[in-house]
């Protein structure tokens, strides 16, 4: 009998060079799911990514700390317990210019894939 649930105890740890910790629980890298990805992340103090214009909706929930978003020219800062949905094809930059690390969960629809992010050259 096939079980109608999946428990994820060993997420795929995405290799990074910027100190950010990414554990994908469900998604392309973990279980081949192209529909949705769910990742637990920790962004260290001072971390930032280039601007990007992803081809997926991204939902972010802040667990600890704060995270900064620059979205179409608006600067938004979220704290623990807050969340945001950023629609696909929106120019955005993610960063943590704060003293404490930021721990958060991100859900992407469809699933995160490097070729769908469209990061700008630095």
């Amino acid at each position: 009998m096939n079980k109608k649930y999946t428990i994820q105890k060993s997420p795929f740890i995405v290799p990074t060079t910027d100190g950010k910790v990414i554990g994908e629980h469900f998604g392309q890298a973990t279980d081949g799911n192209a529909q949705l990805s769910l990742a637990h992340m920790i962004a260290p103090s001072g971390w930032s990514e280039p601007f990007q214009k992803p081809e997926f909706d991204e939902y972010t929930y802040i667990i600890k700390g704060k995270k900064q978003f620059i979205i179409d020219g608006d600067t938004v800062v979220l704290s623990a317990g807050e969340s945001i949905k950023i629609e696909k094809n929106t120019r955005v930059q993610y960063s943590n210019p704060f003293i404490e690390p930021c721990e958060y969960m991100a859900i992407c629809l469809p699933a995160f894939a490097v070729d769908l992010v469209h990061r700008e050259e630095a």
Side-chain angles (χ1 to χ4, degrees), residues 13 19 63 102-103 115:
I13 304 304
I63 299 168
C102 178
E103 180 179 2
D115 60 345

Side-chain angles (χ1 to χ4, degrees), residues 64-86:
K64 292 180 188 170
K66 294 189 285 190
K67 185 176 177 187
Q68 178 175 285
F69 306 76
I70 299 176
I71 309 162
D72 283 340
D74 293 338
T75 299
V76 176
V77 174
L78 294 185
S79 299
E82 297 178 326
S83 60
I84 191 170
K85 173 193 176 189
I86 300 173

Side-chain angles (χ1 to χ4, degrees), residues 9-30:
K9 293 184 179 181
S10 55
F12 176 77
I13 304 304
V14 178
T16 64
T17 58
D18 59 5
K20 185 175 172 188
V21 177
I22 305 171
E24 184 185 273
H25 283 257
F26 296 97
Q28 302 243 39
T30 307

Side-chain angles (χ1 to χ4, degrees), residues 5 22 25 41 55 62 76 83 87 98 114 116 120-121:
Y5 61 89
I22 305 171
H25 283 257
M41 305 194 208
E55 291 182 50
I62 309 299
V76 176
S83 60
E87 294 179 13
F98 308 106
V114 172
L116 298 180
E120 295 177 10
E121 297 298 320

